[in-house]
Amino acid sequence: MKYTDIEALVKKMNIDTAKGAVDKRVQEIVVRLVTDLFKAIEDLDLTQSEVWKGLEYLTDAGQANELGLLAAGLGLEHFLDLRADEADAQAGVIGGTPRTIEGPLYVAGAPETVGFARMDDGSESDTVDTLFVEGLVRDTEGNIIEGAKVEIWHANSLGNYSFFDKSQSDFNLRRTIFTDTNGQYVAQTTMPVGYGCPPEGTTQALLNKLGRHGNRPSHIHYFVSSPGYRKLTTQFNLEGDEYLWDDFAFATRDGLVATAVDVTDSTAIETRGLNKPFKQINFDVVLVKDTANAPTTEIERRRA
Ligand code: MBD
Ligand code: FE
């Protein structure tokens, strides 16, 4: 079928048939997407079986709650970041720590403290390196921000996240730390290991067909917010990880690579109240002041 015929057909089916109140935005989106889908079916000469296979795939992915994972793996979530960067630049909003994807594994309601939090439940203390992650939250002029809300979440040594991994305790490796009077946050936790898509899952099944892996480098997620500032969604990825620049979710960005330094000095170990060497990461954050013309940084999505 010709494109003009497809366009006329979709209009006839979805616009000309409207009788009740129309949500114009939804109508515009549906008409566009259905038109583009029909054109793709035409161009690729999809068989009926292939079309049903596609719908069945989406059904399975939805039932497995893997659509968020699929969005990451297909680069949709990263694409939205690139568009948000463009919109910021167009609005003249510049500076601050770069954004990168939230991913599908945030859980709201983590325990809150000021200045310091121990994030791990101790279950991996004997088998995994202890990690101190710390930093300052500042504005773009370099002034520290006291009371900034720093939400941190990351995986355990198997690359799994609490809540989604029911073998972990509630809110393990998830904390909210408000910066202290020096604008500092300190988190004591355990070294994360990169996530891999469930091998038998729907996302990995598709990645396999694309000849792609489903692995992320070791990383730690952040939401950082403070009244009067734009909310930052970001994460750092760890130097030395084989997937650092080969992330299936495309989240690694310049400015968001951190190095975990080995600390073996006995005084430093004692000062931290430990009895073995540990790792330390510095991750400072710069927030940008909110302005009337700045695009919103609040993203509505269903979260656990
Ligand atoms: C993750 O931990 C993650 O951060 C993303 C983006 C996708 C899957 C797992
Ligand atoms: Fe993650």
Side-chain angles (χ1 to χ4, degrees), residues 191 217-218 237-245 252 257-260:
M191 274 300 282
S218 177
N237 290 267
L238 280 176
E239 186 62 62
D241 192 295
E242 64 172 308
Y243 295 109
L244 179 62
W245 294 106
T252 309
V257 176
T259 304

Side-chain angles (χ1 to χ4, degrees), residues 105 161 216 219 221:
L105 305 176
Y161 286 76
R216 297 219 52 217
H219 62 278
H221 295 269

Side-chain angles (χ1 to χ4, degrees), residues 37 41 46-62 67 70 202 205-206 209:
L37 173 64
I41 290 171
L46 292 200
T47 66
Q48 295 208 20
S49 300
E50 284 174 327
V51 170
W52 289 114
K53 227 178 172 34
L55 286 173
E56 286 152 16
Y57 176 79
L58 291 174
T59 301
D60 292 347
L67 286 174
L70 185 67
T202 53
L206 182 64
K209 292 203 180 287

Side-chain angles (χ1 to χ4, degrees), residues 133 150-153 185 220-223 232-234 236 283:
V133 192
V150 182
E151 297 181 75
I152 309 178
W153 70 103
Y185 73 92
I220 295 186
H221 295 269
Y222 286 72
F223 282 153
L232 173 69
T233 299
T234 197
F236 61 74
F283 187 68

